[in-house]
């Protein structure tokens, strides 16, 4: 009995102190948060949402228009750290049964919208969660907003995700009367870059971080996208239509699948596969079952990756064995037609709008010596999350998990 009373007193003390908030018990009404004053922040709405079907603001004919959610407090706002900043964010907090934790939700591509799917998943799991559009409204492959707007680039690169974490946790603390016990961030691709940016630049924002498929060496990754375009689009004969990818994949597997001792359609270690695309060279009429000589050269360049004038590798090429399937070459390399691939979209949008500041910039002109040096000088310090020093993150017990798949083109 004495031990039970001690535990109750301990929990009560830290609940009052704001260090151990009682999960699910709001200290004030959701609507009262509309009067909350935070640095550089304007709360635009604070509304209690009842349990049931919630109409997602990003609904479209190809997107689920509604999701079933528990009751929650929805807070929207804008953060303006510069005169050209307009960082929109949302914080969703369970009205009851909060697990005492905070979840930062990341963005893919060039961001440009609140990640409502991520917010909904976090809310259903009992988290209070926050997401941001990173300071602009646009499609995930559209970077035209960046042309002539260096402050917006900074917001996208690192500032918005950090300020949303700080602001989101402050809103959570005001709503529940205590700070989250643990704070987590998990995302992939550009979201993985955001995750590493948080661990490297803002080590106190999160206790635990998952960085999935991180696009952290942003400048060289997108230089590789242009390299792939130059390989396949420099001349019309080099373009590889998606209908040829199954034959390429089968040839890779025929050459390397059994090297791990099991013929199962999987390369356990693609680095051991020394596949020669020339084995697919058409011996007669061009068909989906073979590659023309210009296409063979293009495939070799894609596997090799970009190389500068001194013969140094700028970024690793793609591994053999991932030519088909989700996330394979069809969406990224070939696209549905020339200049319809994700590589084309990301590569041209990045270099034209952020680096060269020229909407008419031609991807064929990218030089892998002077231009990459310029890109690293201008954009590397802003966009790259490549600092290996995680001393400060580790000092407060921060935990970081990274994952990446071989089959990610």
């Amino acid at each position: 009995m004495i031990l039970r009373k001690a535990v109750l007193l301990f929990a009560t003390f830290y609940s009052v102190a704001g260090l151990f908030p009682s999960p699910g018990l709001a200290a004030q009404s959701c609507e009262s948060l509309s009067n909350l004053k935070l640095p550089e922040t304007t709360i635009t709405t604070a509304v209690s949402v009842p349990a049931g079907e919630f109409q997602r603001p990003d609904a479209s004919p190809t997107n689920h228009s509604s999701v079933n959610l528990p009751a929650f407090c929805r807070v929207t706002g804008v953060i303006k750290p510069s005169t050209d900043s307009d960082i929109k964010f949302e914080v969703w907090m369970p009205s009851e049964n909060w697990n005492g934790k905070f979840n930062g939700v990341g963005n893919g591509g060039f961001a440009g919208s609140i990640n409502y799917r991520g917010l909904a998943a976090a809310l259903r799991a009992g988290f209070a969660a926050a997401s941001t559009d990173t300071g602009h409204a646009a499609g995930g492959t559209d970077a035209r907003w960046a042309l002539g707007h260096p402050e917006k680039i900074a917001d996208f690169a690192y500032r918005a995700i950090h300020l949303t974490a700080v602001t989101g946790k402050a809103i959570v603390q005001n709503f529940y009367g205590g700070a989250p016990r643990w704070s987590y961030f998990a995302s992939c691709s550009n979201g993985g870059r955001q995750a590493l940016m948080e661990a490297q630049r803002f080590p106190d924002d999160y206790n635990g971080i998952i960085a999935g498929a991180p696009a952290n060496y942003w400048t060289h990754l997108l230089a590789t996208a242009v390299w792939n375009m130059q390989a396949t689009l420099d001349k019309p004969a080099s373009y590889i239509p998606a209908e040829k990818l199954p034959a390429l994949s089968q040839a890779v597997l025929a050459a390397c699948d059994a090297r791990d001792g099991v013929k199962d359609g999987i390369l356990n270690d693609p680095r051991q596969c020394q596949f020669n695309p020339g084995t697919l060279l058409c011996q007669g009429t061009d068909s989906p079952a073979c590659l023309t000589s210009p296409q063979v050269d293009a495939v070799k360049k894609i596997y090799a990756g970009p190389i500068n004038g001194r013969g140094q590798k700028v970024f690793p090429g793609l591994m053999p064995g991932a030519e088909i399937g989700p996330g394979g070459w069809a969406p990224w390399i070939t696209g549905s037609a020339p200049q319809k691939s994700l590589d084309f979209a990301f590569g041209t949008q990045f270099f034209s709008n952020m680096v060269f500041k020229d909407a008419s910039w031609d991807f064929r002109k990218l030089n892998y010596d002077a231009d990459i040096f310029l890109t690293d000088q201008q954009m590397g310090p802003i966009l790259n999350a490549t600092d290996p020093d995680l001393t400060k993150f580790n000092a407060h017990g921060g935990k970081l998990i990274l994952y990446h798949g071989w089959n990610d083109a």
Side-chain angles (χ1 to χ4, degrees):
M1 180 64 72
I2 294 174
L3 177 62
R4 182 183 176 190
K5 286 183 177 179
V7 171
L8 288 173
L9 286 170
F10 179 84
T12 302
F13 170 78
Y14 280 102
S15 178
V16 171
L19 298 176
F20 190 59
S22 300
L25 300 178
Q28 59 178 296
S29 71
C30 178
E31 285 68 20
S32 66
L33 294 174
S34 61
N35 299 317
L36 186 61
K37 304 300 180 184
L38 297 171
E40 302 170 334
T41 302
T42 300
I43 304 297
T44 52
T45 62
V47 180
S48 297
V49 180
E53 290 295 313
F54 174 73
Q55 190 76 20
R56 276 185 15 193
D58 62 342
S60 70
T62 58
N63 218 346
H64 293 298
S65 59
S66 63
V67 287
N68 193 279
L69 297 175
F72 68 102
C73 172
R74 180 189 179 196
V75 177
T76 68
V78 180
I79 309 172
K80 298 190 178 224
S82 78
T83 56
D84 196 28
S85 294
D86 188 36
I87 302 169
K88 293 183 175 60
F89 70 89
E90 293 204 17
V91 181
W92 291 11
M93 299 170 287
S95 298
E96 56 185 20
N97 299 321
W98 176 44
N99 62 15
K101 302 171 185 177
F102 176 78
N103 182 189
V105 178
N107 313 82
F110 288 114
S113 61
I114 302 287
N115 188 343
Y116 290 105
R117 185 185 297 273
L119 285 174
L123 184 71
R124 283 195 293 263
F127 290 86
S131 177
T132 174
D133 65 358
T134 73
H136 61 275
T141 58
D142 183 357
R144 289 174 293 180
W145 51 268
L147 188 60
H149 295 280
E151 293 294 343
K152 289 187 180 299
I153 295 176
D155 289 338
F156 162 75
Y158 60 87
R159 199 158 54 191
I161 211 76
H162 163 61
L163 292 178
T164 296
V166 173
T167 302
K169 288 192 288 184
I171 291 171
V172 169
Q173 181 164 358
N174 276 272
F175 182 56
Y176 292 114
R181 294 199 299 267
W182 303 100
S183 296
Y184 303 108
F185 185 92
S187 194
C188 67
S189 192
N190 175 54
R193 184 193 65 82
Q194 292 172 334
L196 289 178
M197 194 69 82
E198 281 291 297
Q200 293 165 15
R201 297 198 185 198
F202 308 103
D204 295 326
D205 282 356
Y206 292 100
N207 304 105
I209 292 175
I210 299 177
N216 62 310
Y217 202 176
W218 187 270
T219 56
H220 286 218
L221 176 66
L222 294 193
T224 304
V226 176
W227 173 271
N228 294 339
M229 288 188 293
Q230 290 178 344
T232 59
L233 301 176
D234 190 45
K235 47 190 176 182
S238 299
Y239 175 69
I240 304 168
E243 64 184 10
K244 293 202 173 194
L245 296 180
L248 178 59
S249 174
Q250 290 166 14
V252 170
L253 293 176
C256 302
D257 185 8
R259 291 191 179 185
D260 56 13
V262 181
K263 196 170 184 179
D264 55 1
I266 298 172
L267 306 187
N268 279 7
D269 188 347
R271 295 170 298 182
Q272 298 176 358
C273 181
Q274 304 301 317
F275 170 68
N276 178 15
T279 59
L280 271 180
L281 182 64
C282 297
Q283 300 302 316
T285 306
D286 185 12
S287 76
C290 65
L291 298 174
T292 65
S293 181
Q295 290 169 343
V296 168
D297 291 340
V299 172
K300 288 180 178 179
K301 290 178 181 178
I302 292 169
Y303 286 145
I307 299 170
N308 63 23
R310 300 181 299 280
Q312 298 169 326
K313 190 177 287 292
V314 174
F315 200 76
L318 295 185
M319 290 286 99
E323 296 78 15
I324 61 173
W329 287 30
W332 286 97
I333 309 296
T334 69
S336 58
Q339 300 189 12
K340 296 294 183 182
S341 68
L342 289 171
D343 269 354
F344 182 84
F346 282 116
T348 56
Q349 288 290 314
F350 170 60
F351 282 99
S352 63
N353 294 300
M354 293 189 184
V355 180
F356 298 111
K357 303 172 183 62
D358 178 6
S360 63
W361 175 79
D362 186 350
F363 71 89
R364 296 173 181 85
K365 296 180 179 179
L366 186 68
N367 176 276
Y368 288 84
D369 289 289
D371 288 346
I372 300 305
F373 177 81
L374 172 69
T375 302
D376 284 341
Q377 291 292 306
Q378 289 187 353
M379 291 289 110
I382 301 171
L383 285 160
N384 289 344
T386 52
D387 185 356
D389 185 0
L390 296 175
T391 304
K392 292 181 179 179
F393 183 66
N394 180 64
H396 70 75
K399 304 299 182 183
L400 172 67
I401 296 174
L402 295 97
Y403 69 85
H404 205 130
W406 283 119
N407 281 33
D408 184 357

